[in-house]
């Protein structure tokens, strides 16, 4: 099948064979032959860097409010479902002024000083995981390492007692799974159960934190409880739902950043050798991992007003899927985009979005990635993959479920 035919028949809800293993040839075909790809129901998919950048920077035209879309997707009958309540209240799926108010309160706990103060704790966590792996001689780079780091970091941010963190990862995976292009009844039911259980847990945690507040400069939950913008605090619903958002936003994407990075360095020995010889390149290497294998492959907007793109007019209400993984391989923006270049500079990728919705926790994710990859590589420079990697079957989030390795 030629590239034009690949592009013409592409549908995120009926993925072509081979897409999960390697979506980038399909993205290249779309950029070349259907950069504004129309689905049969009126939705469109954008794959060019310039088009995504335009959408991100024009929040007035391209809205993040998902009230209508998620009402149809998540709710039957008159009672809003737990998934609907969560996703329409959390930071990422809202427009100003609610988005502005909530974001300022969260960002107030993630200042450069506060993020820098996390470093010793992350180093200790990573070293403890590596100590345990060294005893075994083998490691699953996801289960035993990449997935364990963000859950602990976010658990610390929210002040979740360590012995109560067990369900956090499964709750997050279930809630985010409901955002996939295809929603089965089983996935929806699991997502609703996870939101319900998470809210019940947070209700108790918040009540305890109100009685025993932490340091608002370090404890995000205390910051959310006490924080004000323009004399207005978060409502009880906003408070609980955005605690869930903080876990979800920082969990799977950071897991994928670390896991994808270790996989790429195993598959590109020349890049690994250079990074070992020049460890100061780690900051640029993290950015290249984010570009080359974007943890978050898709975003969404809805047109608040009519707009034109690529010579065609579209009405208000048009649903727009943003091909982040495709835009980050766009040759119009990146020279030799399919080359994994750990020294790439400049590297203005869109892995953390752009505009008013750029990721509020990106400094934390970068810090986790830099420490995890740097200390793993320094400790086990000869690690090698050992077994069959198992990729996640998700379209929105790109990463692995299992990545077995020997430490060398």
């Amino acid at each position: 099948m030629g590239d034009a035919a690949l592009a013409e028949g592409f549908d995120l809800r009926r993925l072509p064979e081979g897409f999960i293993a390697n979506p980038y040839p399909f993205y290249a075909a779309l950029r070349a032959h259907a950069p504004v790809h129309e689905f049969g129901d009126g939705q469109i998919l954008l794959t060019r860097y310039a088009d995504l950048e335009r959408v991100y920077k024009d929040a007035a035209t391209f809205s993040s409010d998902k009230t209508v879309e998620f009402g149809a997707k998540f709710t039957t009958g008159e009672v809003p479902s737990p998934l609907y309540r969560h996703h329409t209240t959390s930071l990422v799926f809202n427009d100003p002024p609610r988005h502005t108010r909530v974001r300022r309160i969260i960002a107030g706990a993630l200042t450069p000083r506060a993020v820098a103060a996390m470093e010793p704790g992350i180093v200790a966590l990573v070293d403890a995981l590596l100590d345990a792996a060294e005893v075994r001689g083998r490691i699953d780079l996801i289960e035993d390492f990449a997935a364990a780091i963000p859950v602990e970091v976010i658990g610390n941010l929210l002040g979740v007692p360590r012995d109560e963190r067990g369900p956090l990862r499964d709750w997050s995976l279930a809630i985010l799974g409901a955002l996939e292009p295809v929603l089965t009844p089983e996935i929806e039911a699991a997502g609703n159960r996870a939101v319900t259980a998470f809210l019940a847990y947070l209700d108790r945690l918040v009540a305890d934190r109100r009685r025993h507040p932490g340091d608002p400069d370090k404890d995000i939950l205390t910051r959310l409880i006490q924080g004000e913008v323009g004399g207005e605090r978060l409502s009880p619903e906003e408070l609980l739902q955005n605690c869930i958002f903080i876990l979800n936003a920082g969990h799977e994407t950071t897991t994928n950043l670390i896991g994808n990075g270790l996989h790429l360095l195993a598959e590109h020995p020349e890049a690994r050798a250079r990074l070992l010889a020049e460890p100061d390149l780690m900051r640029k290497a993290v950015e290249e991992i984010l570009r080359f294998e974007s943890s978050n492959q898709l975003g969404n907007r809805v047109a608040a007003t009519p707009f034109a793109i690529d010579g065609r007019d579209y009405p208000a209400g048009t649903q727009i899927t943003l091909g982040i993984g495709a835009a980050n391989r766009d040759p119009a923006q990146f020279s030799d985009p399919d080359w994994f270049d750990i020294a790439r500079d400049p590297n203005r990728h869109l892995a953390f979005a752009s505009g008013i919705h750029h990721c509020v926790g990106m400094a934390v994710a970068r810090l986790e990635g830099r420490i995890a990859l740097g200390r793993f590589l320094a400790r086990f420079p000869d690690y090698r993959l050992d077994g069959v990697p198992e990729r996640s079957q998700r379209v929105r989030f790109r990463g692995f479920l299992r990545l077995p390795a020997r430490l060398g």
Side-chain angles (χ1 to χ4, degrees), residues 104-299:
R104 283 179 180 169
I105 293 173
I106 294 174
L110 296 175
T111 62
R113 179 180 176 185
V115 172
M118 297 177 193
E119 184 163 349
I122 298 174
V123 168
L125 167 63
V126 168
D127 285 350
L129 293 171
L130 296 180
D131 288 343
E134 188 168 30
V135 171
R136 296 189 303 269
R138 292 180 56 85
I139 188 172
D140 187 300
L141 297 172
I142 305 303
E143 193 70 32
D144 300 329
F145 190 63
I149 296 168
V151 166
E152 290 299 303
V153 171
I154 297 163
N156 291 341
L157 281 174
L158 292 174
V160 177
R162 185 158 276 104
D163 61 354
E164 296 177 7
R165 296 178 186 180
L168 295 182
R169 185 184 180 206
D170 287 342
W171 285 340
S172 177
L173 291 172
I175 295 166
L176 291 176
L179 294 176
E180 287 292 288
V182 176
L183 179 67
T184 66
E186 294 78 16
I187 291 173
E188 184 176 14
N192 281 322
R193 286 194 301 270
V195 173
T196 300
F198 206 163
L199 287 173
Y201 173 76
L202 287 170
D203 206 34
R204 297 192 299 274
L205 189 69
V206 167
D208 180 71
R209 199 63 48 81
R210 289 187 190 277
R211 292 191 297 269
H212 310 288
D215 180 351
D217 290 330
K218 297 178 181 178
D219 182 285
I220 276 194
L221 184 53
T222 298
R223 183 86 181 196
L224 292 174
I225 292 169
Q226 298 180 353
E228 290 187 6
V229 172
E232 188 177 0
R233 293 190 176 186
L234 298 181
S235 70
E237 177 86 348
E238 288 174 329
L239 173 62
L240 297 180
Q241 300 292 5
N242 280 288
C243 286
I244 297 178
F245 160 74
I246 288 167
L247 171 68
N248 291 346
H251 166 243
E252 186 164 8
T253 50
T254 307
T255 297
N256 291 349
L257 162 61
I258 298 167
N260 290 343
L262 290 169
H263 181 259
L264 286 168
L265 291 170
E267 295 288 286
H268 294 79
E270 74 293 342
R272 186 197 326 202
R274 184 175 182 185
L275 196 53
L276 283 165
E278 303 176 63
D280 287 347
L281 284 177
M282 183 54 74
R283 289 179 185 271
K284 289 182 179 179
V286 167
E287 299 307 310
E288 180 68 347
I289 293 162
L290 287 163
R291 181 197 72 84
F292 195 80
E293 287 275 36
S294 304
S295 302
N296 187 8
Q297 292 272 307
L298 301 175

Side-chain angles (χ1 to χ4, degrees), residues 328-389:
N328 281 341
R329 297 280 191 109
D330 188 344
Q333 176 67 23
F334 303 98
S335 62
D336 205 357
D338 294 320
W339 176 36
F340 179 57
D341 178 7
I342 61 168
R344 186 179 294 274
D345 190 17
N347 192 351
R348 294 182 59 247
H349 60 77
L350 297 174
F352 291 124
S354 183
I356 66 169
H357 279 279
H358 72 273
C359 176
V360 70
M362 60 186 177
V364 180
R366 283 174 165 136
L367 180 66
E368 291 177 73
R370 194 164 66 245
I371 292 172
L373 294 169
R375 297 187 81 80
F376 188 99
L377 201 59
R379 185 87 165 261
F380 305 116
D382 300 319
Y383 80 96
R384 66 187 188 278
L385 301 182
D386 183 41
V388 180

Side-chain angles (χ1 to χ4, degrees), residues 49-119:
Y49 184 99
D51 290 337
L52 264 70
E53 195 170 45
R54 171 194 168 186
V55 169
Y56 281 135
K57 291 183 175 179
D58 186 358
T61 301
F62 303 105
S63 169
S64 294
D65 188 308
K66 298 295 189 294
T67 306
V68 174
E69 178 185 343
F70 287 168
K73 182 174 184 177
F74 293 133
T75 298
T76 55
E78 297 182 0
V79 179
S81 71
L83 279 168
Y84 174 83
R85 288 172 52 208
H86 168 63
H87 285 307
T88 56
T89 308
S90 66
L91 175 68
V92 71
F93 294 130
N94 273 286
D95 292 331
R98 171 186 266 184
H99 170 268
T100 306
R101 179 169 54 87
V102 175
R103 184 185 177 91
R104 283 179 180 169
I105 293 173
I106 294 174
L110 296 175
T111 62
R113 179 180 176 185
V115 172
M118 297 177 193
E119 184 163 349

